[in-house]
Amino acid sequence: TLTVLALLFQTGTAQTGLVTNRINVQVFGGLAIPTADFASTSGEDAGGAQTGFVVGGELGLNFVGGLAWWNTVAVSFNSLNEELVEDLAGVTSVSGDLGSWTTIWPMTGLKYTSWVAPGVAIYATGQVGLLLGSSPEVSVSSGVFRYSSKSSSSSAFAYGFGGGVLVANRFTAGVRYLTGQPEYDIEIKASAPGFTSTTTGKIDQPTSIFQLTVGVM
């Protein structure tokens, strides 16, 4: 009798696709696509970020009814678009080293999973947390002029939401939108023979990213 009940339970689980693991661990990677001001190359809040990549991991604790407490750490790298530097410097071309925006997103929140077919589910997440960012380090030249800026670090409140597909309780493909607005200390130096200028200040940098990822649990 116990054997029959066990077989029935396993068959029902396979048919409905119920998540049987109480704790889930996932690793993922994919594209980090900047949006809005973060991707712009002109304007007061322009970040000049280009499409980059993201890696990360997740830890989930399943409750009931497809609901889980979901924790994520995602690290995105987005190179700096030289058009932003050219716009700021008022020149038509630059050459040299352009750094990258680095953003770390430790997030916590809820995930809801709904099975739509045997072994196939869709899910949605809503999370809050922190944005830990580092601005690009820049060292470029244009003609006799040289421009440089050191990297700066900052943090801010962040939130995000997303969704995707879960296959066989193991493979995922999803999209996540994350946003925050850290404030960075900046120091920009411009120099030429017989000339040096230093500009310092603070900037609020709206930072929004779409992350397109694939993962394995």
Side-chain angles (χ1 to χ4, degrees):
T1 302
L2 291 176
T3 302
V4 173
L5 289 175
L7 289 173
L8 288 174
F9 175 77
Q10 291 174 0
T11 302
T13 298
Q15 291 177 345
T16 60
L18 293 174
V19 177
T20 56
N21 294 331
R22 183 163 176 77
I23 297 177
N24 291 115
V25 178
Q26 177 177 242
V27 293
F28 62 85
L31 295 177
I33 304 173
T35 67
D37 289 325
F38 193 44
S40 177
T41 57
S42 62
E44 183 178 348
D45 294 324
Q50 300 188 96
T51 297
F53 66 95
V54 57
V55 294
E58 298 185 292
L59 174 64
L61 177 63
N62 292 313
F63 298 132
V64 293
L67 192 63
W69 175 37
W70 207 251
N71 303 281
T72 304
V73 177
V75 185
S76 295
F77 304 91
N78 297 89
S79 58
L80 184 65
N81 194 323
E82 67 179 31
E83 292 181 8
L84 174 64
V85 180
E86 293 167 356
D87 182 75
L88 291 174
V91 297
T92 57
S93 64
V94 294
S95 60
D97 297 324
L98 296 170
S100 297
W101 291 98
T102 301
T103 51
I104 304 173
W105 308 80
M107 309 289 289
T108 187
L110 296 176
K111 176 181 180 180
Y112 180 74
T113 303
S114 178
W115 294 90
V116 296
V120 179
I122 57 175
Y123 66 85
T125 60
Q127 295 176 303
V128 296
L130 291 174
L131 163 54
L132 309 175
S134 295
S135 63
E137 183 170 353
V138 176
S139 179
V140 298
S141 60
S142 178
V144 298
F145 287 92
R146 185 169 187 84
Y147 306 92
S148 63
S149 178
K150 295 182 178 180
S151 178
S152 175
S153 299
S154 184
S155 62
F157 170 78
Y159 66 90
F161 52 87
V165 178
L166 171 64
V167 179
N169 263 354
R170 183 166 178 81
F171 304 103
T172 64
V175 58
R176 180 187 287 111
Y177 173 78
L178 298 171
T179 185
Q181 188 165 320
E183 182 182 70
Y184 295 96
D185 293 314
I186 62 166
E187 180 180 286
I188 301 174
K189 293 183 177 180
S191 60
F195 167 81
T196 300
S197 174
T198 301
T199 302
T200 60
K202 295 180 179 291
I203 60 169
D204 288 323
Q205 180 58 64
T207 304
S208 300
I209 294 178
F210 276 109
Q211 298 175 344
L212 305 180
T213 63
V214 292
V216 59
M217 300 178 72

